[in-house]
Amino acid sequence: MPTVSAAPADRSAPRRAGWPAYPYEAITRTSLWLGIVLVTVAFGWGAWQRRWISDDGLIVLRTVRNLLAGNGPVFNAGERIEANTSTVWTYLVYLGSWIGGPVRLEYVVLALAPVLSLAGMALVMLGTARLYAPSLVGQRALLLPAGALVYIALPPARDFATSGLECGLVLAYLGLLWWMMVCWAQRRPGEPGGRGFLAALAFVAGLSVLVRPELALLGGLALIMLLIAASGWRTRALIVAAGGALPVAYQIFRMGYYGLLVPGTALAKDAGGDKWHQGWIYLANFNRPYALWIPALLLLVLVPALLITRGGRTRTRRTDPGAGRLARLLQSPAGVVAFMLISGVLQAAYWTRQGGDFMHARVLLAPVFCLLAPVAVVPLVIPDGARVSRETGYWLAGAVGLVWMGLAGWSLWAANSTGMGTNATRIGYAGIIDERQFYSQATGHAHPLTAADYLDYPRMRAVLVALANTPDGALLLPSGDYDRWDVVPAIPPPPDLPAAERPEPVHTVFFTNLGMVSMNTGLDVRVIDQIGLANPLAAHTARLDHGRIGHDKDLFPDWAVAEGPFLKQHPYLPPYLDEDWVAQAQAALRCPDTEAALAAIRAPLGPRRFASNVLHAYEFTRYRIDRVPLYELHRCKLAVPPPRTEPYTGMPATGP
């Protein structure tokens, strides 16, 4: 008696709500997870081999130390300056240090950064795998790491996975947003948990500006897509509330607490300025050592094969019948792919306009990650003759396999590249260096991880000696001698003043490398720089046209002498400082607008000060002073102090 075979199951329907939404074949599922494991292990191993914490990473830890000490989110106690670009990273490290207790802050960072980097890589691969899932239902395929392989092959990607900066957080954020956007594009109207998922996605998109300000280009675009695709005012209100509540609340806090519209780092580097010529140099500096055009070309060659693979019998999302054409286009796999590619291009364009960075490749890693996300993994479909003929299927599989082997070969070569080579630690006209190699060489440590490792950097041990030798307070200025600091003594109190009434000694260190200095000194030592990351006066100067990128503000040390309780005459001043300049800077500090800008961050913070800062944050953000004290006096229409009658020559006066 002939047997009746059961009707084949409808494999286009999901087994259950949520992930995994598609019943992969065993070979497809195995290849995906095997690829994720291999890529993340290789990435983690490569990052560990190049582990380090940068000087800029130590800057973040100074703020965390102040938070733990109860001084607030500041770099120097008593001066409300936001010296860190990533708000989320600062508070994430703070949370980790609070949980870690006695564990060194550097080790907290060394645990968080690589874990987030690996999580970002796994999420971006899962998101791309889900993107291709509808076209793979019912057929066997291998999901091969492609864009993910390209990213981890880049030496700078492994360098910045443990640098102490927010790079790992950025990868995790981009991977999560990509995965959620793909899920959103494939959700069906009325699917359980729809509103909760939409609120979570809007919250993640809105968080972008707190991860890094320029990521608002990504998160803002995602929120616009959600709003256009949403149906009904209640849904749109939910998106606005979930996506905007935290960023808006923090923005109000920033304006009231710091008196600025943007982070202090954005003010210091004039994030709205443009240096296109330097930006093109930065792009070329990234491309040249790794021949990035090769993987770009190979991935472009893959596009026709991937489009054919996604063609045929694919499960389409059941769209809301009332949704408009634009809404249906945005909430689709093609829409989210375009979203990620456009976001990557916009970020790359922003950094090119800004001039890039002084760290090799650093700020272009996020745009590259976005551009690689839609091809983080690629399917190699095993022909079954159902959708395309076996002959065509074998041709497609062979083409994908050959291109993938080309990518793997390039990745192996790039992973072992020497990068910038002999120019890696040389600060030339372009001002770009391999930061990890530079500090490894300068400190003598292959893996500088702690602030103590940076004591072997020139001048660092000498600064501790100088501070110990000036118990009554002083301003320390870097000398031309790497083992010495120039000391400007603090104004001594009257000799007859009782000991109980004597003020606390004031120590200020004026130096570019804020991280290593501030993490090797106490929180009672004020550490400022000439480029404005922690110095409000320098931050409010104009950007120099031909200065080193990222360091193109340069405040004269005369200002540091003028605003502090330090002796302002020779022979207490170093020979290269001029008493007239110091006197002029001291007079320029009385400019009403300058006094108002400084009071915004130094005066006691109460409700009235907070409200005043909110109202004047735009003015304070735009305010600029002239770095030359005499020109600043003219700008403010203030009287110029009378010059010295006898120019100082550095030689003692002689009698007749």
Side-chain angles (χ1 to χ4, degrees):
M1 181 176 179
T3 59
V4 179
S5 60
D10 179 11
R11 307 198 60 169
S12 66
R15 293 177 178 177
R16 60 180 66 89
W19 174 264
Y22 303 99
Y24 284 121
E25 293 289 339
I27 188 173
T28 306
R29 185 167 54 251
T30 301
S31 66
L32 170 63
W33 287 108
L34 183 61
I36 290 175
V37 169
L38 291 176
V39 167
T40 53
V41 167
F43 191 26
W45 179 82
W48 186 253
Q49 293 299 311
R50 305 169 78 94
R51 63 193 180 278
W52 71 304
I53 292 181
S54 69
D55 178 71
D56 286 53
L58 295 177
I59 292 176
V60 177
L61 301 188
R62 169 77 167 206
T63 301
V64 174
R65 284 176 65 197
N66 273 300
L67 278 167
L68 293 170
N71 296 327
V74 299
F75 189 80
N76 290 307
E79 197 168 56
R80 296 182 295 275
I81 292 178
E82 191 176 14
N84 305 335
T85 303
S86 175
T87 303
V88 173
W89 179 238
T90 299
Y91 286 98
L92 192 61
V93 175
Y94 169 65
L95 177 63
S97 61
W98 183 75
I99 295 172
V103 178
R104 289 185 66 110
L105 291 177
E106 295 94 324
Y107 296 147
V108 171
V109 166
L110 199 60
L112 284 174
V115 168
L116 289 169
S117 297
L118 300 187
M121 188 56 61
L123 283 168
V124 78
M125 295 176 72
L126 286 171
T128 309
R130 177 153 185 158
L131 180 72
Y132 288 106
S135 61
L136 299 180
V137 172
Q139 62 180 349
R140 295 179 300 163
L142 299 177
L143 286 171
L144 305 176
L149 203 61
V150 170
Y151 186 83
I152 69 169
L154 296 171
R158 303 195 300 278
D159 285 349
F160 288 104
T162 64
S163 65
L165 296 166
E166 67 282 351
C167 302
L169 172 65
V170 170
L171 286 196
Y173 174 79
L174 293 176
L176 176 62
L177 183 60
W178 166 243
W179 178 78
M180 294 185 77
M181 288 295 287
V182 173
C183 292
W184 171 72
Q186 295 174 343
R187 290 187 72 86
R188 302 182 180 191
E191 189 172 337
R195 280 186 173 270
F197 175 82
L198 194 62
L201 176 54
F203 175 81
V204 171
L207 200 63
S208 60
V209 71
L210 300 180
V211 175
R212 273 196 68 93
E214 73 276 3
L215 291 182
L217 296 169
L218 183 89
L221 184 57
L223 287 173
I224 291 172
M225 291 174 65
L226 297 182
L227 287 170
I228 294 175
S231 57
W233 67 267
R234 290 184 178 179
T235 304
R236 290 188 173 92
L238 174 68
I239 293 170
V240 170
L246 184 59
V248 170
Y250 187 81
Q251 181 63 19
I252 294 172
F253 168 78
R254 171 181 285 148
M255 294 164 67
Y257 191 80
Y258 299 109
L260 294 175
L261 295 175
V262 295
T265 52
L267 177 64
K269 299 186 179 184
D270 270 352
D274 64 272
K275 283 194 173 181
W276 283 103
H277 175 69
Q278 177 65 27
W280 292 117
I281 293 174
Y282 191 75
L283 276 174
N285 178 268
F286 184 24
N287 169 70
R288 191 178 301 112
Y290 318 113
L292 293 177
W293 61 270
I294 294 176
L297 184 61
L298 290 173
L299 290 171
L300 283 174
V301 169
L302 272 179
V303 171
L306 297 179
L307 291 176
I308 294 174
T309 299
R310 281 191 56 81
R313 184 176 57 86
T314 62
R315 195 194 78 162
T316 57
R317 188 180 65 88
R318 295 175 189 170
T319 57
D320 184 352
R325 182 176 180 181
L326 179 59
R328 293 195 301 270
L329 178 62
L330 292 177
Q331 193 175 357
S332 69
V336 297
V337 168
F339 152 75
M340 206 64 174
L341 294 178
I342 291 172
S343 298
V345 170
L346 287 176
Q347 288 183 73
Y350 167 78
W351 282 114
T352 305
R353 180 182 185 272
Q354 171 70 7
D357 191 41
F358 63 95
M359 301 185 197
H360 169 65
R362 175 200 168 197
V363 296
L364 292 178
L365 291 175
V368 167
F369 192 79
C370 290
L371 294 172
L372 292 174
V375 287
V377 296
V378 294
L380 190 154
V381 179
I382 300 172
D384 59 3
R387 302 187 185 183
V388 295
S389 67
R390 287 187 179 273
E391 182 179 0
T392 302
Y394 281 121
W395 275 105
L396 285 174
V400 172
L402 284 175
V403 172
W404 185 85
M405 290 178 64
L407 282 173
W410 173 88
S411 298
L412 186 62
W413 169 79
N416 293 281
S417 168
T418 58
M420 294 177 65
T422 57
N423 292 323
T425 60
R426 185 182 306 162
I427 303 177
Y429 177 76
I432 305 167
I433 61 169
D434 184 323
E435 190 88 344
R436 185 187 66 83
Q437 285 195 46
F438 176 85
Y439 282 119
S440 295
Q441 176 180 296
T443 61
H445 296 275
H447 305 289
L449 294 174
T450 66
D453 291 335
Y454 280 92
L455 287 174
D456 293 320
Y457 188 82
R459 296 191 178 96
M460 284 303 101
R461 293 192 187 276
V463 78
L464 301 184
V465 173
L467 290 171
N469 289 340
T470 54
D472 296 328
L475 168 66
L476 305 186
L477 302 173
S479 169
D481 184 346
Y482 283 168
D483 293 324
R484 186 172 60 86
W485 286 76
D486 290 330
V487 176
V488 181
I491 299 173
D496 56 346
L497 190 68
E501 299 179 16
R502 289 176 177 266
E504 290 292 326
V506 174
H507 281 102
T508 299
V509 181
F510 185 85
F511 195 49
T512 306
N513 301 86
L514 292 170
M516 61 181 74
V517 175
S518 64
M519 284 299 289
N520 281 302
T521 56
L523 295 179
D524 58 331
V525 177
R526 184 172 182 245
V527 182
I528 57 174
D529 61 326
Q530 75 271 32
I531 62 178
L533 295 176
N535 187 339
L537 288 175
H540 285 286
T541 59
R543 199 177 182 191
L544 299 174
D545 290 337
H546 300 289
R548 184 189 178 199
I549 192 67
H551 297 71
D552 41 10
K553 292 189 176 182
D554 190 5
L555 190 71
F556 297 110
D558 308 74
W559 291 90
V561 180
E563 71 167 342
F566 308 114
L567 295 170
K568 298 170 174 57
Q569 300 83 27
H570 291 108
Y572 304 107
L573 295 178
Y576 51 80
L577 294 186
D578 186 273
E579 288 184 24
D580 289 340
W581 276 55
V582 173
Q584 291 164 9
Q586 193 172 20
L589 288 171
R590 293 194 289 270
C591 179
D593 290 339
T594 302
E595 288 181 328
L598 294 178
I601 61 171
R602 291 177 179 171
L605 186 66
R608 292 189 65 180
R609 170 59 58 188
F610 188 94
S612 175
N613 284 356
V614 170
L615 291 174
H616 296 95
Y618 176 74
E619 299 170 28
F620 294 149
T621 304
R622 292 194 56 182
Y623 184 61
R624 295 294 181 271
I625 67 173
D626 200 297
R627 57 196 288 268
V628 178
L630 181 61
Y631 298 163
E632 176 64 6
L633 288 172
H634 292 321
R635 186 189 70 84
C636 290
K637 297 180 175 58
L638 296 176
V640 179
R644 285 176 50 87
T645 55
E646 296 181 7
Y648 177 71
T649 63
M651 300 295 293
T654 57

